[in-house]
Amino acid sequence: MTDKASAKAGGISRRRFIGAAGALGVAATAGGVLSRPLRSHATAGNPTKIRLSWTEFAACHSPVAYGVSEGVYARHGLDVELFYQGSSGQTLIQSIATDKTDAGAGLLYDWVKPLEQGLDVKLFVGSHGGCTRLLASKSSGIEKLEDLKGRKIASYDVASPPKHSFQVALAKAGLDPERDVEWLNVPFDLVGEGVGRGEADALAHLDPWAYAHKKKFDLHEVYNTQSGVFDGAVCCVLGVNANFLEANRDAVRRLAEANIELHEFAAANPDKVADWFVKNLNPGFPLEDIHDNIASWDLHNHPVGKELVDQVEWAADDLALIKVLDPTTNSRELAERVTIDILA
């Protein structure tokens, strides 16, 4: 068992307990029309307002929006308002750092470099694992990472998290992730077309787009961020503005508990979350695809405390391996500095 898998197995009981205790109260059906920004008011007491950044059409954020619509955050004494900051993870992160929003959900690989550079944000809870895929055309003969040597891989940005993820996997498989493969930078919406037209042999992308490309172009799934070296790794993590945290620590704790509850609910009820997401956000993907996406992720993987520190350290080591981080950065010190044990 890998270190990541060991940490996942060792901490699951506490996460499942929190999730099971809360998920029983989540409404079974979804309804209403989504407005922008989406907001849910607590029904009693003095709710704490939290402006939460998210990526609206990323299916892995669907539990967050479902929780706002169905009053889950409200039952935790929170008045959560969702703000769409665009498809770029860096834009989302900067919105938190510049006080445009208070907290947000983003890919861990997106968080680490800005945090190394001094971003005044603390990571406090993970959401899930496995929303990124490496796919190849069946005619390419690519079955495993080693088969990608000398091949072309399409991705949507020179520093996208999918590219970084599979550069790490390639490096750990003994390949040079820059010299042994050729990376093609293509528009976000055209990653699949590059493989479909034969301009690339493989692609690296996020769900739901990756899953849609897999079906449309009949691609083979070579790797994903639940398999191999990513077994037990968290994919998306919530961060909070440090000043907001200092003034509202208990509210951030309740936000973490609600996040865990929602992802446990989504794990048990992917049909309900998918149905709400498609009906209210009209993401342009069929209900079956969104359901299959949600059901395929590790929604029990939401580390807090030491488990989260371990995950950030591993991510920092991974990014140092592919020369994204400064080689002098101490990954453990970085992980301890940029996380908060919010449930302690």
Side-chain angles (χ1 to χ4, degrees):
M1 182 178 289
T2 66
D3 289 342
K4 293 179 184 178
S6 299
K8 177 183 174 184
I12 193 68
S13 59
R14 176 168 71 148
R15 294 197 295 271
R16 278 186 173 157
F17 172 78
I18 295 171
L24 295 175
V26 180
T29 60
V33 178
L34 178 66
S35 60
R36 297 186 191 182
L38 178 62
R39 187 169 186 171
S40 176
H41 297 278
T43 55
N46 298 306
T48 303
K49 180 178 178 179
I50 297 181
R51 301 167 299 167
L52 191 69
S53 292
W54 72 315
T55 302
E56 183 171 317
F57 296 117
C60 61
H61 287 191
S62 57
V64 174
Y66 182 89
V68 172
S69 176
E70 295 304 299
V72 177
Y73 294 108
R75 289 195 288 277
H76 285 265
L78 302 172
D79 175 10
V80 171
E81 189 170 7
L82 296 180
F83 287 87
Y84 176 53
Q85 299 296 324
S87 60
S88 168
Q90 294 305 314
T91 302
L92 183 150
I93 288 168
Q94 287 303 316
S95 73
I96 303 167
T98 56
D99 292 321
K100 292 179 181 178
T101 57
D102 306 307
L107 289 155
L108 181 54
Y109 275 4
D110 265 339
W111 285 110
V112 176
K113 183 63 179 180
L115 288 166
E116 180 200 34
Q117 295 175 324
L119 181 75
D120 198 16
V121 167
K122 296 290 187 182
L123 305 181
F124 62 97
V125 65
S127 293
H128 66 272
C131 60
T132 308
R133 304 175 195 262
L134 178 65
L135 309 170
S137 65
K138 292 180 178 177
S139 63
S140 70
I142 297 169
E143 298 289 335
K144 57 186 184 301
L145 292 171
E146 292 83 354
D147 296 335
L148 284 158
K149 187 170 184 177
R151 303 300 189 94
K152 296 178 180 179
I153 308 173
S155 189
Y156 61 85
D157 189 88
V158 294
S160 72
K163 178 179 178 180
H164 283 162
S165 294
F166 299 118
Q167 283 182 314
V168 168
L170 287 166
K172 292 185 177 182
L175 277 67
D176 185 316
E178 287 292 346
R179 297 180 179 179
D180 286 340
V181 299
E182 181 180 351
W183 292 93
L184 302 181
N185 186 27
V186 299
F188 189 94
D189 294 332
L190 299 178
V191 173
E193 276 68 15
V195 178
R197 292 193 298 262
E199 297 166 359
D201 303 294
L203 67 86
H205 214 336
L206 303 163
D207 284 337
W209 301 275
Y211 189 80
H213 294 326
K214 180 180 179 180
K215 292 183 67 176
K216 180 178 179 180
F217 299 106
D218 191 26
L219 303 179
H220 168 64
E221 188 156 337
V222 179
Y223 220 77
N224 62 54
T225 47
Q226 291 183 64
S227 59
V229 299
F230 299 115
D231 182 26
V234 70
C235 209
C236 291
V237 175
L238 269 67
V240 60
N241 177 283
N243 291 330
F244 184 87
L245 173 65
E246 184 176 0
N248 301 278
R249 183 178 177 122
D250 185 66
V252 177
R253 175 188 60 78
R254 285 179 274 129
L255 180 62
E257 292 173 342
N259 182 70
I260 293 170
E261 175 182 329
L262 280 164
H263 285 81
E264 289 293 324
F265 177 84
N269 302 275
D271 53 337
K272 293 172 183 174
V273 177
D275 184 68
W276 184 94
F277 185 70
V278 171
K279 286 181 178 178
N280 290 276
L281 288 180
N282 188 25
F285 300 95
L287 175 60
E288 179 185 3
D289 284 12
I290 299 300
H291 172 274
D292 291 349
N293 277 181
I294 295 171
S296 74
W297 303 324
D298 182 1
L299 294 167
H300 300 300
N301 190 359
H302 24 68
V304 293
K306 182 183 180 301
E307 293 172 9
L308 182 57
V309 173
D310 290 342
Q311 292 275 357
V312 176
E313 180 184 9
W314 292 324
D317 286 339
D318 286 348
L319 293 176
L321 177 66
I322 59 171
K323 301 179 175 59
V324 172
L325 293 197
D326 188 316
T328 64
T329 295
N330 183 305
S331 59
R332 188 68 184 185
E333 290 179 0
L334 171 65
E336 291 174 343
R337 173 173 62 81
V338 304
T339 56
I340 181 75
D341 189 353
I342 200 63
L343 298 186

